[in-house]
Amino acid sequence: MKNLLSVGTFILLSVVGSACPALAWESHEHPFEPATGIELRKLGQDNANQYCRGRFNDLVKTGDLPWDARFANHIWAHLDANKCVYNK
């Protein structure tokens, strides 16, 4: 019975997790973390996008993103997930 509950809980969490758009990134979307303590939602979409573009440029310069990140065609902020994202 205990194992059956564990399996049921795992299936339920898997289904709920896969339905959440903040966790389901498209293959062209590559999330990266904002600096510690930054809450993108509080910045608003335009300011958060601008913040993420600056953070992206800094991380590319320091080599903290994959080499091919420099080919990104769009950098933006996902406010609900509190992630910066680059598309390529």
Side-chain angles (χ1 to χ4, degrees), residues 21-37:
L23 301 177
W25 301 104
E26 298 289 330
S27 63
H28 64 278
E29 296 174 329
H30 305 277
F32 60 99
E33 296 294 328
T36 303

Side-chain angles (χ1 to χ4, degrees), residues 39-53:
E39 293 183 46
L40 296 174
R41 187 178 314 181
K42 290 183 178 179
L43 298 176
Q45 190 67 59
D46 290 338
N47 289 332
N49 287 345
Q50 185 176 357
Y51 167 83
C52 286
R53 284 191 290 271

Side-chain angles (χ1 to χ4, degrees), residues 1 3-4 7 9 14 18 20 23-24 26 28 32 35-36 41 49 51 56 58 64 66-67 72 77 80 85-86:
M1 182 68 171
N3 286 340
L4 185 58
V7 170
T9 301
S14 297
S18 65
C20 179
L23 301 177
E26 298 289 330
H28 64 278
F32 60 99
T36 303
R41 187 178 314 181
N49 287 345
Y51 167 83
F56 174 84
D58 291 344
D64 291 318
W67 180 85
D80 291 337
V85 183
Y86 67 91

